[in-house]
Amino acid sequence: MIKADLHIHSKYSPDGEYEVADIVDMVAGAKVGVFTLSDHNSVSAICEAVVLAEERNIGFIPGIEIDCVFEGTDMHLLGYGINWESEDFISLEQDIRTKTLDSLSEMLYNLARLGIEVEADEVMRLADGRLPSGELIAEALLSNPEYDYPELEPYRQGGARADMPYLNFYFDYFAQGRPAYVAMDFMSFKAAVELVRDNGGTPVVAHPGLNFRGNERIVEKMLSAGAHGLEVFNNYHNDAQMDYFAGVVMNERVLMTCGSDFHGKTKPSISIGQYGNLAEYADYLNDSVMKLCSR
């Protein structure tokens, strides 16, 4: 049985923290036998990861996590085994960069309307060349003691939302439907599936129970629309969700995947190689991982 983590983010994700070499060290330390770097809309980490994984004799599957929209809901599609040298992914990264930078002023304006002000220049200094994100805005606010807004108290040490303060701030303010949310013109789910498939990859729906909580049955429509599998095991699904998604996967005879969704400081309670699982599906999961490794 191979230990896999098929959902890890490096510093090339706007909300990632670690260098590729540091991640490979952590993968080796966690005794993970095969892993994927699936940065947000970017393949910039893969060239280095391929070399380092081979040097350490660790299995590696090139990947990406693409922002897209399915029936009005923002979601993520994982692409495994992609031709990461394709110009298509360079174009994707450039497109997302432009849209993200264009959205920053509106994100900060929406926050200011709620009584929480932070300067764009401060956020961009903290970004240090990376794209700004809701988590980065939270870090700018919480790392500067001059920002003493009462709205920040739940995210400070000892607060009710302090377990993952940057991520929780994002969920509370910038996630779809929240008060500072800014809609971005992400590609459709269908276009994301085609992008992955056109570049030799396997499209898998990331953490569907997080994006579609309460509407889990929608995954059947996404499989019919071209996805080849579901990320069943992760740090967001409860046992009931894992059991449901595993049943759908096995009934449809598609791929079952697993991943920690490790980012670093934005998700401090998440470690590489650790995620929820149900032992009764171990064999099917292992077979799915091996299929991805052989593609």
Side-chain angles (χ1 to χ4, degrees):
M1 195 72 64
I2 191 167
K3 183 177 181 181
D5 191 336
L6 306 184
H7 195 159
I8 299 173
H9 293 270
S10 77
K11 69 171 187 178
Y12 292 103
S13 287
D15 50 358
E17 178 182 5
Y18 288 98
E19 300 282 349
V20 175
D22 295 327
I23 288 176
V24 175
D25 285 343
M26 286 185 273
V27 166
K31 302 288 192 281
V32 171
V34 60
F35 74 105
T36 297
L37 285 182
S38 48
D39 284 312
H40 294 293
N41 309 297
S42 175
V43 294
S44 296
I46 294 180
C47 182
E48 184 180 0
V50 167
V51 174
L52 293 176
E54 184 175 0
E55 289 177 353
R56 303 291 287 270
N57 196 30
I58 304 171
F60 178 70
I61 301 170
I64 192 169
E65 186 173 23
I66 301 172
D67 283 284
C68 57
V69 180
F70 187 79
E71 296 191 354
T73 297
D74 293 348
M75 59 164 293
H76 295 157
L77 182 76
L78 293 160
Y80 293 116
I82 53 173
N83 172 18
W84 53 274
E85 296 176 302
S86 168
E87 292 289 329
D88 289 345
F89 296 116
I90 296 174
S91 297
L92 170 65
E93 186 167 6
Q94 291 172 340
D95 179 63
I96 293 295
R97 169 170 285 276
T98 299
K99 290 174 179 176
T100 301
L101 291 174
D102 288 347
S103 72
L104 178 60
S105 60
E106 190 174 354
M107 293 172 72
L108 297 180
Y109 174 74
N110 287 349
L111 265 189
R113 292 175 60 191
L114 299 169
I116 305 172
E117 297 189 33
V118 58
E119 292 295 326
D121 288 347
E122 186 168 355
V123 174
M124 293 307 297
R125 281 196 301 271
L126 188 61
D128 192 26
R130 296 180 300 160
L131 285 178
S133 64
E135 293 90 339
L136 193 68
I137 292 171
E139 184 176 355
L141 286 164
L142 293 169
S143 62
N144 187 341
E146 294 183 7
Y147 294 124
D148 59 353
Y149 304 115
E151 292 88 350
L152 299 180
E153 289 307 309
Y155 310 96
R156 300 194 188 281
Q157 187 172 3
R161 303 284 282 162
D163 57 330
M164 293 193 289
Y166 305 150
L167 181 65
N168 287 335
F169 188 89
Y170 164 81
F171 281 145
D172 294 344
Y173 285 92
F174 292 115
Q176 190 172 23
R178 306 309 295 172
Y181 170 72
V182 176
M184 289 180 59
D185 184 24
F186 294 129
M187 69 174 67
S188 68
F189 172 78
K190 179 182 178 182
V193 166
E194 290 175 351
L195 174 62
V196 172
R197 294 172 63 176
D198 287 349
N199 286 284
T202 302
V204 171
V205 178
H207 43 62
L210 176 64
N211 298 91
F212 298 96
R213 190 176 303 276
N215 189 26
E216 284 81 0
R217 291 186 179 276
I218 201 169
V219 297
E220 297 176 29
K221 295 176 69 174
M222 287 188 278
L223 292 173
S224 296
H228 291 180
L230 305 177
E231 184 183 60
V232 173
F233 302 113
N234 54 50
N235 285 293
Y236 309 110
H237 294 168
N238 57 36
D239 285 357
Q241 288 175 313
M242 290 188 288
D243 188 58
Y244 175 73
F245 293 135
V248 171
V249 162
M250 295 178 72
N251 184 61
E252 298 292 332
R253 305 303 300 172
V254 293
L255 295 172
M256 177 186 296
T257 71
C258 57
S260 63
D261 199 12
F262 175 84
H263 283 70
K265 61 187 175 184
T266 64
K267 300 182 180 182
S269 64
I270 290 178
S271 299
I272 285 176
Q274 296 183 11
Y275 43 81
N277 66 87
L278 297 174
E280 57 264 41
Y281 301 112
D283 288 340
Y284 194 102
L285 174 62
N286 190 69
D287 289 345
S288 294
V289 173
M290 297 308 295
K291 287 177 181 177
L292 285 172
C293 289
S294 65
R295 292 185 177 184

